[in-house]
PDB file of all heavy atoms in Angstrom:
ATOM      1  N   ILE A 548     -39.551  71.120 -80.469  1.00  0.00           N
ATOM      2  CA  ILE A 548     -38.300  71.469 -79.767  1.00  0.00           C
ATOM      3  C   ILE A 548     -37.466  72.433 -80.604  1.00  0.00           C
ATOM      4  O   ILE A 548     -36.996  73.453 -80.115  1.00  0.00           O
ATOM      5  CB  ILE A 548     -37.495  70.201 -79.458  1.00  0.00           C
ATOM      6  CG1 ILE A 548     -38.162  69.445 -78.334  1.00  0.00           C
ATOM      7  CG2 ILE A 548     -36.078  70.537 -79.071  1.00  0.00           C
ATOM      8  CD1 ILE A 548     -37.456  68.167 -77.983  1.00  0.00           C
ATOM      9  N   ASP A 549     -37.278  72.100 -81.873  1.00  0.00           N
ATOM     10  CA  ASP A 549     -36.385  72.877 -82.701  1.00  0.00           C
ATOM     11  C   ASP A 549     -36.862  74.327 -82.836  1.00  0.00           C
ATOM     12  O   ASP A 549     -36.049  75.259 -82.809  1.00  0.00           O
ATOM     13  CB  ASP A 549     -36.263  72.231 -84.083  1.00  0.00           C
ATOM     14  CG  ASP A 549     -35.562  70.885 -83.998  1.00  0.00           C
ATOM     15  OD1 ASP A 549     -34.785  70.713 -83.043  1.00  0.00           O
ATOM     16  OD2 ASP A 549     -35.794  70.033 -84.874  1.00  0.00           O
ATOM     17  N   GLU A 551     -38.829  76.003 -80.756  1.00  0.00           N
ATOM     18  CA  GLU A 551     -38.980  76.757 -79.514  1.00  0.00           C
ATOM     19  C   GLU A 551     -37.671  76.906 -78.753  1.00  0.00           C
ATOM     20  O   GLU A 551     -37.386  77.954 -78.193  1.00  0.00           O
ATOM     21  CB  GLU A 551     -40.012  76.052 -78.626  1.00  0.00           C
ATOM     22  CG  GLU A 551     -40.478  76.892 -77.450  1.00  0.00           C
ATOM     23  CD  GLU A 551     -41.653  76.250 -76.739  1.00  0.00           C
ATOM     24  OE1 GLU A 551     -42.219  75.290 -77.298  1.00  0.00           O
ATOM     25  OE2 GLU A 551     -41.986  76.717 -75.646  1.00  0.00           O
ATOM     26  N   PHE A 552     -36.851  75.824 -78.719  1.00  0.00           N
ATOM     27  CA  PHE A 552     -35.628  75.860 -77.916  1.00  0.00           C
ATOM     28  C   PHE A 552     -34.371  75.716 -78.758  1.00  0.00           C
ATOM     29  O   PHE A 552     -33.277  75.914 -78.244  1.00  0.00           O
ATOM     30  CB  PHE A 552     -35.651  74.733 -76.871  1.00  0.00           C
ATOM     31  CG  PHE A 552     -36.804  74.846 -75.919  1.00  0.00           C
ATOM     32  CD1 PHE A 552     -37.922  74.042 -76.076  1.00  0.00           C
ATOM     33  CD2 PHE A 552     -36.779  75.763 -74.881  1.00  0.00           C
ATOM     34  CE1 PHE A 552     -38.987  74.148 -75.199  1.00  0.00           C
ATOM     35  CE2 PHE A 552     -37.835  75.863 -74.006  1.00  0.00           C
ATOM     36  CZ  PHE A 552     -38.955  75.053 -74.159  1.00  0.00           C
ATOM     37  N   GLY A 553     -34.472  75.311 -79.975  1.00  0.00           N
ATOM     38  CA  GLY A 553     -33.287  75.235 -80.826  1.00  0.00           C
ATOM     39  C   GLY A 553     -32.688  73.864 -80.911  1.00  0.00           C
ATOM     40  O   GLY A 553     -32.339  73.385 -81.978  1.00  0.00           O
ATOM     41  N   ASP A 554     -32.562  73.150 -79.784  1.00  0.00           N
ATOM     42  CA  ASP A 554     -32.002  71.814 -79.802  1.00  0.00           C
ATOM     43  C   ASP A 554     -32.495  71.049 -78.580  1.00  0.00           C
ATOM     44  O   ASP A 554     -33.163  71.593 -77.699  1.00  0.00           O
ATOM     45  CB  ASP A 554     -30.456  71.851 -79.833  1.00  0.00           C
ATOM     46  CG  ASP A 554     -29.880  72.632 -78.668  1.00  0.00           C
ATOM     47  OD1 ASP A 554     -30.683  73.194 -77.890  1.00  0.00           O
ATOM     48  OD2 ASP A 554     -28.643  72.674 -78.535  1.00  0.00           O
ATOM     49  N   ILE A 555     -32.147  69.743 -78.535  1.00  0.00           N
ATOM     50  CA  ILE A 555     -32.588  68.901 -77.428  1.00  0.00           C
ATOM     51  C   ILE A 555     -31.947  69.349 -76.112  1.00  0.00           C
ATOM     52  O   ILE A 555     -32.562  69.334 -75.057  1.00  0.00           O
ATOM     53  CB  ILE A 555     -32.232  67.428 -77.729  1.00  0.00           C
ATOM     54  CG1 ILE A 555     -33.030  66.970 -78.948  1.00  0.00           C
ATOM     55  CG2 ILE A 555     -32.490  66.534 -76.536  1.00  0.00           C
ATOM     56  CD1 ILE A 555     -32.737  65.545 -79.347  1.00  0.00           C
ATOM     57  N   GLU A 556     -30.671  69.810 -76.184  1.00  0.00           N
ATOM     58  CA  GLU A 556     -29.984  70.199 -74.956  1.00  0.00           C
ATOM     59  C   GLU A 556     -30.681  71.388 -74.300  1.00  0.00           C
ATOM     60  O   GLU A 556     -30.854  71.447 -73.073  1.00  0.00           O
ATOM     61  CB  GLU A 556     -28.533  70.553 -75.302  1.00  0.00           C
ATOM     62  CG  GLU A 556     -27.604  70.428 -74.107  1.00  0.00           C
ATOM     63  CD  GLU A 556     -26.158  70.576 -74.550  1.00  0.00           C
ATOM     64  OE1 GLU A 556     -25.742  69.905 -75.489  1.00  0.00           O
ATOM     65  OE2 GLU A 556     -25.483  71.392 -73.922  1.00  0.00           O
ATOM     66  N   GLY A 557     -31.109  72.336 -75.130  1.00  0.00           N
ATOM     67  CA  GLY A 557     -31.819  73.487 -74.577  1.00  0.00           C
ATOM     68  C   GLY A 557     -33.159  73.099 -73.965  1.00  0.00           C
ATOM     69  O   GLY A 557     -33.579  73.671 -72.947  1.00  0.00           O
ATOM     70  N   TRP A 558     -33.811  72.088 -74.569  1.00  0.00           N
ATOM     71  CA  TRP A 558     -35.084  71.631 -74.017  1.00  0.00           C
ATOM     72  C   TRP A 558     -34.896  70.969 -72.661  1.00  0.00           C
ATOM     73  O   TRP A 558     -35.648  71.187 -71.723  1.00  0.00           O
ATOM     74  CB  TRP A 558     -35.727  70.644 -75.011  1.00  0.00           C
ATOM     75  CG  TRP A 558     -37.055  70.126 -74.526  1.00  0.00           C
ATOM     76  CD1 TRP A 558     -38.245  70.773 -74.474  1.00  0.00           C
ATOM     77  CD2 TRP A 558     -37.327  68.807 -74.022  1.00  0.00           C
ATOM     78  NE1 TRP A 558     -39.242  69.965 -73.980  1.00  0.00           N
ATOM     79  CE2 TRP A 558     -38.700  68.765 -73.684  1.00  0.00           C
ATOM     80  CE3 TRP A 558     -36.544  67.666 -73.817  1.00  0.00           C
ATOM     81  CZ2 TRP A 558     -39.294  67.612 -73.170  1.00  0.00           C
ATOM     82  CZ3 TRP A 558     -37.138  66.548 -73.305  1.00  0.00           C
ATOM     83  CH2 TRP A 558     -38.493  66.519 -72.986  1.00  0.00           C
ATOM     84  N   PHE A 559     -33.829  70.154 -72.529  1.00  0.00           N
ATOM     85  CA  PHE A 559     -33.550  69.515 -71.240  1.00  0.00           C
ATOM     86  C   PHE A 559     -33.212  70.556 -70.181  1.00  0.00           C
ATOM     87  O   PHE A 559     -33.605  70.435 -69.029  1.00  0.00           O
ATOM     88  CB  PHE A 559     -32.412  68.493 -71.380  1.00  0.00           C
ATOM     89  CG  PHE A 559     -32.869  67.136 -71.779  1.00  0.00           C
ATOM     90  CD1 PHE A 559     -32.624  66.649 -73.054  1.00  0.00           C
ATOM     91  CD2 PHE A 559     -33.552  66.330 -70.899  1.00  0.00           C
ATOM     92  CE1 PHE A 559     -33.065  65.382 -73.433  1.00  0.00           C
ATOM     93  CE2 PHE A 559     -33.981  65.067 -71.252  1.00  0.00           C
ATOM     94  CZ  PHE A 559     -33.741  64.609 -72.537  1.00  0.00           C
TER      95      PHE A 559
END
Side-chain angles (χ1 to χ4, degrees):
I548 287 179
D549 293 334
E551 193 171 348
F552 299 102
D554 57 356
I555 295 179
E556 203 171 309
W558 180 74
F559 273 108

